[in-house]
Amino acid sequence: MEALLALANWSTLLVCMVIKLPQVVAVLAASSARGVSLESLLLELSGFLVFLRYQSYYSYPIGTYLEYPILIAQDVILLLFVLHYSGNMKQTLPYIVLFVGGWYFLTLQKWIIDLAMNLCTLISAASKFAQLRCLWQTRDSGQVSALTWSMSAYTCASNKSESSSG
């Protein structure tokens, strides 16, 4: 059982290293961000930042959250392409200020980081619903990558199996 958990852990890390690559490639190949929800991407990035900040704030072992800096870097790259192809590069600086300010705000008081962490599941779900709403409204999957969503489902399932076994 321990070997299976180790395999799930390492395979999740490996998938996370490339999880956004199909999405980035699709956006670049089409030179368009059509179908990719900016709101969804911002919510997902917020959730990842909260989780990473929480883990580092409470000094969890880096192996328990190693994939999050990788996911954040990929989300930032995708966000830049989405802003570029939607003609909104002017919004880059306010988003940087918001995320960097939020990073520090989270740890001003212990209760803030704890509350934010408790809201992470809601933020993640809201991110997925925002993307689905975008798809529904546009009636076009545009540059949304099914492979990225499939890899995301795998990492969720493998993380669930790791946490329920412990």
Side-chain angles (χ1 to χ4, degrees):
M1 186 62 158
E2 204 168 303
L4 188 59
L5 289 176
L7 176 64
N9 193 24
W10 281 105
S11 65
T12 298
L13 182 59
L14 291 174
V15 168
C16 285
M17 292 176 86
V18 296
I19 197 165
K20 294 293 181 171
L21 188 59
Q23 187 69 67
V24 170
V25 168
V27 168
L28 286 175
S31 297
S32 168
R34 179 158 170 76
V36 179
S37 168
L38 177 62
E39 182 182 43
S40 172
L41 194 53
L42 292 170
L43 284 166
E44 180 178 69
L45 186 55
S46 298
F48 288 165
L49 286 167
V50 166
F51 189 85
L52 177 62
R53 187 63 164 160
Y54 181 89
Q55 297 289 315
S56 62
Y57 179 80
Y58 283 108
S59 302
Y60 281 88
I62 195 159
T64 62
Y65 61 92
L66 185 59
E67 68 270 20
Y68 282 87
I70 298 165
L71 291 168
I72 290 167
Q74 292 177 76
D75 261 1
V76 167
I77 291 166
L78 182 57
L79 176 62
L80 290 173
F81 284 127
V82 167
L83 291 172
H84 172 74
Y85 288 120
S86 61
N88 293 319
M89 282 303 284
K90 296 179 285 191
Q91 293 178 343
T92 304
L93 183 59
Y95 287 136
I96 291 170
V97 169
L98 182 67
F99 284 121
V100 170
W103 178 263
Y104 290 103
F105 174 77
L106 285 169
T107 55
L108 287 177
Q109 296 281 322
K110 182 183 173 300
W111 69 267
I112 297 172
I113 189 73
D114 292 341
L115 175 63
M117 185 61 188
N118 284 325
L119 294 173
C120 263
T121 300
L122 180 63
I123 293 168
S124 178
S127 167
K128 303 307 180 245
F129 282 121
Q131 181 59 56
L132 291 171
R133 187 183 71 224
C134 178
L135 293 173
W136 180 262
Q137 288 173 340
T138 61
R139 305 248 192 260
D140 179 10
S141 62
Q143 310 329 312
V144 176
S145 170
L147 183 55
T148 292
W149 273 61
S150 299
M151 288 191 290
S152 181
Y154 171 77
T155 61
C156 287
S158 66
N159 280 335
K160 180 64 176 160
S161 69
E162 289 172 32
S163 63
S164 64
S165 298

